[in-house]
């Protein structure tokens, strides 16, 4: 009974390709997030959706486009992949945007060669 | 801008030693405070959280943290560490205004058996 799941777990691709990472949560939460963890393990928020509406959009290249088809899913599409996109991407969810805790998925390790 | 600073980047302890990891944040408003743990190859899990009330909070696995408002600190403690506590520890702050969860740089804890 995985609460927040991501696919794929590992993704190796070449520069210039377009790829997607999928995230699903079965917690009934209404808010979902994407985080990027770099090689130094620093975690930074990229996007947040509440009830399928974008509410946080950090300074992220527009090659990254999140899509939320429904409250339980938040996918991340990346165009024209670059070497610097190599990182671990974590999806998370929470109930509301206030003080509730966030539950994290297992992460997707993206390697761009 | 909001920021979170973890003083120790890499801590090495022997089993049964006591642990204290420092965390300071910069934000003057109402905040929620969290400590997350990331075991090798795994996703982030919540150790403990502070929203309001008693500034000394207890979490899972014998961890506790103390919120000291005047010092903008939320240090993590454990009286006696175990080898299984080897992991990456992240302090995080969420402001009620922005709803963003801001992470510190992380502290790598290595416990020697």
């Amino acid at each position: 009974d995985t609460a927040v799941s991501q696919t794929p777990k590992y993704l190796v691709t070449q520069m210039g390709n377009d790829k997607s990472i999928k995230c699903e949560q079965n917690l009934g939460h209404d808010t979902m997030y994407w985080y990027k963890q770099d090689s130094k393990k620093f975690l930074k928020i990229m996007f947040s959706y509440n009830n399928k509406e974008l509410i946080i959009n950090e300074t992220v290249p527009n090659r990254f486009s999140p899509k939320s088809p429904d409250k339980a899913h938040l996918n991340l599409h990346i165009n024209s992949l670059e070497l610097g996109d190599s990182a671990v991407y974590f999806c998370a969810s929470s109930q509301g945007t206030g003080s509730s805790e966030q539950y994290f998925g297992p992460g997707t390790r993206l390697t761009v060669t | 801008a909001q920021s979170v600073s973890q003083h120790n980047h890499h801590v090495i302890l022997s089993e049964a030693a006591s642990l204290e990891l420092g965390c300071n944040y910069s934000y003057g408003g109402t905040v929620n405070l969290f400590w997350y743990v990331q075991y090798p190859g795994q996703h982030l899990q919540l150790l403990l959280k502070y929203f309001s009330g008693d500034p000394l909070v207890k979490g899972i696995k014998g961890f506790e943290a103390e919120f000291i408002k005047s010092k903008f600190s939320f240090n993590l403690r454990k009286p006696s560490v175990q080898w299984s506590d080897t992991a990456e520890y992240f302090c995080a702050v969420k402001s009620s205004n922005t709803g963003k969860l801001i992470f510190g740089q992380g502290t790598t804890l290595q416990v020697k058996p």
Side-chain angles (χ1 to χ4, degrees):
Chain A
D1 288 350
T2 306
V4 184
S5 59
Q6 294 178 228
T7 53
K9 191 169 182 179
Y10 300 97
L11 183 54
V12 181
T13 188
Q14 291 183 325
M15 281 174 57
N17 285 348
D18 303 338
K19 289 292 177 187
S20 291
I21 307 172
K22 296 186 176 181
C23 178
E24 177 182 1
Q25 54 94 3
N26 61 9
L27 297 166
H29 289 165
D30 58 5
T31 306
M32 296 184 73
Y33 312 81
W34 276 110
Y35 288 86
K36 180 180 179 180
Q37 186 176 45
D38 63 23
S39 57
K40 295 183 180 178
K41 304 234 171 153
F42 183 60
L43 267 160
K44 192 164 192 284
I45 189 164
M46 300 173 70
F47 301 103
S48 173
Y49 270 73
N50 176 256
N51 282 316
K52 303 195 312 177
E53 192 176 323
L54 182 66
I55 55 169
I56 294 176
N57 185 350
E58 288 297 284
T59 311
V60 177
N62 57 15
R63 298 181 294 104
F64 290 78
S65 53
K67 283 187 173 49
S68 181
D70 54 58
K71 285 197 311 183
H73 296 84
L74 181 61
N75 304 325
L76 184 64
H77 189 76
I78 316 170
N79 288 329
S80 303
L81 278 155
E82 300 177 358
L83 292 176
D85 298 333
S86 295
V88 181
Y89 292 84
F90 286 98
C91 177
S93 73
S94 67
Q95 186 54 41
T97 57
S99 57
S100 54
E101 67 184 86
Q102 294 180 16
Y103 293 79
F104 284 80
T108 296
R109 183 175 292 278
L110 171 65
T111 304
V112 183
T113 62
Chain B
Q2 238 178 324
S3 66
V4 180
S5 176
Q6 292 181 237
H7 316 303
N8 322 97
H9 294 292
H10 197 159
V11 173
I12 303 174
L13 295 173
S14 298
E15 274 195 315
S18 64
L19 170 73
E20 180 158 4
L21 300 182
C23 174
N24 284 87
Y25 65 93
S26 65
Y27 183 70
T30 303
V31 294
N32 304 130
L33 300 158
F34 305 83
W35 275 98
Y36 282 87
V37 61
Q38 186 177 25
Y39 297 105
Q42 294 190 29
H43 61 98
L44 280 85
Q45 300 171 43
L46 184 69
L47 269 181
L48 46 79
K49 60 189 177 187
Y50 172 80
F51 290 165
S52 63
D54 188 345
L56 183 63
V57 291
K58 294 191 184 299
I60 60 171
K61 305 187 181 187
F63 286 91
E64 64 177 33
E66 185 176 11
F67 170 51
I68 303 180
K69 191 174 181 179
S70 60
K71 294 185 178 179
F72 297 90
S73 70
F74 189 56
N75 293 353
L76 181 72
R77 298 194 292 250
K78 185 170 184 178
S80 175
V81 295
Q82 300 171 313
W83 176 78
S84 57
D85 292 325
T86 294
E88 194 80 21
Y89 291 81
F90 293 93
C91 180
V93 173
K94 191 175 190 183
S95 82
S96 53
N97 282 356
T98 67
K100 292 182 197 174
L101 191 61
I102 308 294
F103 284 87
Q105 317 92 301
T107 296
T108 303
L109 172 65
Q110 185 182 351
V111 180
K112 294 185 173 180

